[in-house]
Amino acid sequence: MFERTKLILVACIAAFAALSPLIGGMNPYYFNILISVGISLILAVGLNLVNGYTGQFSLGHAGFMAVGAYLAAAMSLGILFPYLDPPQWAPTAEELAADPQATVAKWTYPFKALWLLFGWLINALFWCHNHIIPLGAALPGWGKFLFALFYGGAIAALAGLTVGVPSLRLKGDYLAIVTLGFNEIIRVVLQSADPVGASRGLPGIPLATNFFWTFTFAALAIYVVWNIVHSTYGRGFLAVRDDEIAAEAMGINTTKYKVLAFVIAAFFAGIAGGLYAHFFQYINPEGFNFMKSVDIVVMVILGGMGSMWGVCAAAVLLTILPEVLRKVAKIEALPEWAREIAENRMIIYSLILIILMLARPQGLFAGWVKKKTRPA
Amino acid sequence: MSAPLLDLDNITVQFGGLKAVADVSFSIGERELVGLIGPNGAGKTTIFNAITGVYRPTAGHVSFLGKKVGHHPPYIITARGIARTFQNIRLFASMTVFDNVRCACNMHLKHGISHALWRGTKVAAEEQRIERDVMELLEIFGLHEQRDENAKALPYGDQRRLEIVRALATKPKLLLLDEPAAGMNPTEKVELMKLIRFVQEKFALAVLLVEHDMKVVMGICERIVVLDYGLKIAEGTPGEIRANPKVIAAYLGKETAA
Ligand SMILES: Nc1ncnc2c1ncn2[C@@H]1O[C@H](COP(=O)(O)OP(=O)(O)O)[C@@H](O)[C@H]1O
Ligand SMILES: [Mg+2]
């Protein structure tokens, strides 16, 4: 029984490898959609661990995707980060020569404090990045791409840990707001980060993502999350969702589980970001805004939080839906208002969600696949 | 007397102006079955919460196995060997009977998340061992046939029993039972008390039992602690308690008194 899930995984990966050359030759428009579906699957399956199985509410998943996308791209492009300069601690020699009484303006004090708190940390991270880049560059072919992906995933997981530890003491709406804030901070920082193109975005990323890698990682994400939540270890995530007080009383460290869910989800979001960057070959901060996070949350809610196949189905559906709507918006025969609605998927999403909450609060697809709760 | 398993030393728990528990001290020895009784609102559940780390005592401290436990979060106290059930049933609602108990085996796992991710060979062996342990416990309480039913779909009495099974799965040294027989009829109650005695002996447990039915408590407990308005008003053998005028006064007019 334990071997069966592993066997399915290996069979899937083999099938993807066999299909990859065939599918690579298909109509590029449909190929684009197919790869987007794979990326959505990774994002939604990861977020389902946090929002679905563990019952937290993260609204900043695109932020982790951005971290993964930018760092994987920086790795592939060999972008080094320039170190931040420390603030001016004392007047320079010239300033003193001009005015012996010269002092450094009082308003720089807050910056000094910030520097003391974070400056050295940021520079230490930059130092690590600048020393890891050559390691990746030395690898041949796919090795370099995979290294870039895992680098992006690892740093996204680190970001998940950093955001998760202080904020997972918050509940519900508060956690949603903090994660949303994280998403926005990442976006704003990227918008002014010159080494990675600031708001112009980062073009020229080499094409490396293909059908095989995208769906292999999607299968891995599904495999890993499935294994976790069906193991005794991972039942702890569901226990946290069901009743935190009872979970603690049963010896489950609820904070650890919440952080763990966050870190795993962030890792996969980082991988998804790296795949995205190496497929579309261009990324910009707006691609990872709040709306992108909402897209992923809607997939999880629509699929039925904590239902693996429901969430997968919703991820596929909601990735294809905008393309269908785009087609609908072009149909001349439709009245103007209908075409306008079709052009704005957020209106459709909100409608779907409102109807869903009223009619099927457990999610569209939850319960379609009979729940199998025996351990394998 | 050797050092007690659990020792409450002048515990006070205050909610705003209300002293739910005031300067209560008592101790429980190994393999002892102690009853904790008192009218509604006397502070019994609050004492449970103070022992298990849900509330921090305002004053005084709890020692377990000779060490203070007061400042630890509940999951660490559970890991030390204190397990409990809840008066207002707190089963994991989305899970089956089996999984509810399985969750409680979580802290005894020898493998970490990395093995669970991959389903390594270590996991397979441990999952089998856990399944055996869980089924054994479920069988003792006659719940093994409902293993795949949703926990919240069980009859009320079975839910209470499942809570005990779940607590036992943490392999405690001390088991705290908060009104485990609430809502049961007299025959069910007697059955349950026999079961409690049975597991107490089988697993060499100390048990602290809250129960309203005096006849039941008197029949099963070696020692009884009586609370009223947060104060300990009496402690002794069932015979002593039955004859204690303070206890009679506290229960006067309350039909639960036998
Ligand atoms: N979290 C709380 N906040 C405020 N008051 C509480 C809280 N928990 C219990 N109490 C009060 O403490 C007293 C003792 O409650 P409890 O321990 O539940 O009694 P018992 O279990 O003996 O029936 C009651 O008056 C109750 O209202
Ligand atoms: Mg109570």
Side-chain angles (χ1 to χ4, degrees):
Chain A
M1 208 46 190
F2 283 106
E3 290 316 307
R4 205 185 72 174
T5 36
K6 237 176 230 161
L7 221 63
I8 294 174
L9 176 74
V10 173
C12 282
I13 293 176
F16 296 150
L19 282 174
S20 199
L22 282 173
I23 288 176
M26 74 194 272
N27 175 331
Y29 173 68
Y30 292 115
F31 188 60
N32 263 9
I33 299 178
L34 187 65
I35 298 293
S36 303
V37 164
I39 291 171
S40 294
L41 278 173
I42 302 174
L43 290 167
V45 166
L47 188 67
N48 192 26
L49 184 61
V50 177
N51 288 25
Y53 292 112
T54 316
Q56 308 301 303
F57 198 90
S58 166
L59 199 46
H61 213 48
F64 298 113
M65 189 188 177
V67 171
Y70 270 89
L71 285 164
M75 174 68 72
S76 290
L77 294 171
I79 296 173
L80 300 176
F81 295 151
Y83 298 111
L84 303 180
D85 293 326
Q88 194 182 346
W89 300 109
T92 59
E94 295 95 73
E95 279 167 347
L96 278 175
D99 172 14
Q101 248 69 54
T103 49
V104 173
K106 274 241 169 51
W107 61 265
T108 64
Y109 290 167
F111 291 98
K112 287 181 180 175
L114 271 179
W115 169 264
L116 287 174
L117 280 173
F118 297 116
W120 62 272
L121 184 67
I122 290 172
N123 276 355
L125 287 174
F126 283 3
W127 186 90
C128 292
H129 174 84
N130 293 347
H131 284 78
I132 291 174
I133 290 275
L135 298 180
L139 292 169
W142 291 119
K144 188 175 171 188
F145 172 52
L146 283 182
F147 190 82
L149 281 186
F150 277 103
Y151 178 60
I155 303 297
L158 195 69
L161 186 71
T162 319
V163 181
V165 168
S167 58
L168 282 168
R169 291 170 199 285
L170 304 171
K171 293 201 193 315
D173 308 349
Y174 297 103
L175 181 63
I177 290 166
V178 169
T179 48
L180 177 92
F182 161 76
N183 195 162
E184 286 300 287
I185 288 171
I186 292 287
R187 191 178 60 87
V188 170
V189 166
L190 287 174
Q191 266 177 348
S192 54
D194 259 326
V196 288
S199 50
R200 297 181 305 281
L202 188 57
I205 305 163
L207 176 69
T209 302
N210 57 16
F211 173 78
F212 173 72
W213 288 119
T214 311
F215 281 84
T216 295
F217 276 108
L220 272 175
I222 293 171
Y223 176 77
V224 163
V225 173
W226 176 269
N227 272 350
I228 295 174
V229 297
H230 285 84
S231 68
T232 298
Y233 191 97
R235 284 282 129 177
F237 291 104
L238 284 80
V240 170
R241 173 187 70 186
D242 282 358
D243 191 326
E244 276 192 43
I245 290 181
E248 285 262 330
M250 294 308 128
I252 291 166
N253 181 348
T254 53
T255 312
K256 185 181 96 182
Y257 270 89
K258 289 186 212 168
V259 171
L260 206 55
F262 225 63
V263 168
I264 294 169
F267 172 78
F268 280 117
I271 296 278
L275 288 166
Y276 177 93
H278 289 82
F279 183 73
F280 293 98
Q281 295 177 268
Y282 168 75
I283 48 180
N284 74 357
E286 278 308 314
F288 307 103
N289 60 10
F290 166 61
M291 289 302 168
K292 180 72 195 170
S293 290
V294 171
D295 278 351
I296 311 166
V297 168
V298 172
M299 288 171 193
V300 173
I301 296 178
L302 199 67
M305 308 215 243
S307 149
M308 175 67 80
W309 303 121
V311 167
C312 288
V316 174
L317 203 73
L318 288 181
T319 312
I320 298 174
L321 185 68
E323 301 305 322
V324 175
L325 292 176
R326 223 190 296 274
K327 288 248 154 89
V328 170
K330 287 206 185 91
I331 301 173
E332 301 276 338
L334 285 175
E336 189 62 26
W337 61 266
R339 289 168 56 184
E340 237 157 70
I341 289 180
E343 246 166 28
N344 195 340
R345 69 178 189 288
M346 285 299 162
I347 297 179
I348 309 247
Y349 281 8
S350 5
L351 275 179
I352 291 178
L353 282 184
I354 292 170
I355 295 169
L356 193 73
M357 292 304 158
L358 295 173
R360 251 187 99 81
Q362 73 273 41
L364 254 194
F365 306 102
W368 273 19
V369 183
K370 198 180 160 345
K371 255 204 201 125
K372 187 167 168 299
T373 33
R374 276 175 191 257
Chain B
M1 209 173 85
S2 64
L5 186 67
L6 178 81
D7 186 49
L8 305 194
D9 181 14
N10 285 304
I11 295 289
T12 299
V13 181
Q14 199 158 351
F15 297 113
L18 173 83
K19 270 192 182 170
V21 175
D23 280 329
V24 171
S25 304
F26 65 90
S27 51
I28 300 174
E30 288 194 27
R31 300 178 183 223
E32 209 181 358
L33 211 165
V34 178
L36 181 62
I37 64 171
N40 266 329
K44 305 179 295 289
T45 301
T46 306
I47 285 193
F48 272 33
N49 285 333
I51 295 173
T52 54
V54 177
Y55 301 146
R56 271 189 82 164
T58 319
H61 53 250
V62 180
S63 313
F64 185 67
L65 291 166
K67 272 194 247 159
K68 289 185 191 174
V69 293
H71 56 284
H72 288 304
Y75 76 93
I76 288 183
I77 295 176
T78 307
R80 289 237 181 126
I82 303 180
R84 70 174 291 185
T85 65
F86 293 90
Q87 182 180 354
N88 50 338
I89 300 174
R90 282 181 174 273
L91 290 169
F92 301 123
S94 75
M95 287 185 235
T96 61
V97 168
F98 178 80
D99 278 346
N100 261 276
V101 186
R102 190 148 74 110
C103 276
C105 301
N106 194 297
M107 66 179 187
H108 294 297
L109 286 174
K110 288 181 202 75
H111 66 258
I113 180 73
S114 54
H115 291 278
L117 291 176
W118 247 159
R119 257 198 176 161
T121 39
K122 250 188 186 170
V123 179
E126 271 209 281
E127 295 280 6
Q128 271 170 10
R129 181 182 57 75
I130 286 170
E131 180 168 8
R132 228 182 14 250
D133 292 357
V134 169
M135 288 316 290
E136 194 181 310
L137 283 176
L138 282 174
E139 249 165 76
I140 294 176
F141 283 77
L143 290 167
H144 54 291
E145 273 166 15
Q146 287 102 307
R147 66 169 273 175
D148 290 329
E149 267 172 49
N150 187 290
K152 282 285 174 185
L154 291 183
Y156 193 69
D158 283 351
Q159 291 193 21
R160 290 222 172 269
R161 274 136 35 111
L162 182 55
E163 276 232 343
I164 302 177
V165 177
R166 192 177 63 169
L168 283 172
T170 65
K171 299 186 180 151
K173 297 183 185 73
L174 170 66
L175 183 60
L176 310 177
L177 301 174
D178 200 347
E179 305 197 18
M184 293 185 180
N185 65 37
T187 22
E188 283 176 324
K189 268 186 197 179
V190 172
E191 282 298 306
L192 183 69
M193 292 308 144
K194 273 191 203 152
L195 263 179
I196 290 173
R197 263 248 98 103
F198 174 75
V199 293
Q200 187 221 355
E201 270 156 30
K202 181 171 162 76
F203 299 107
L205 300 173
V207 177
L208 180 61
L209 173 73
V210 171
E211 170 53 46
H212 275 304
D213 191 327
M214 286 293 223
K215 229 189 292 178
V216 168
V217 179
M218 299 281 178
I220 182 176
C221 296
E222 296 145 27
R223 198 151 54 82
I224 295 174
V225 175
V226 190
L227 288 182
D228 194 22
Y229 292 111
L231 294 164
K232 183 173 99 173
I233 56 170
E235 178 176 354
T237 61
E240 288 165 2
I241 294 299
R242 203 172 297 148
N244 189 312
K246 275 194 193 162
V247 179
I248 295 169
Y251 274 89
L252 206 64
K254 295 205 168 76
E255 289 313 307
T256 41

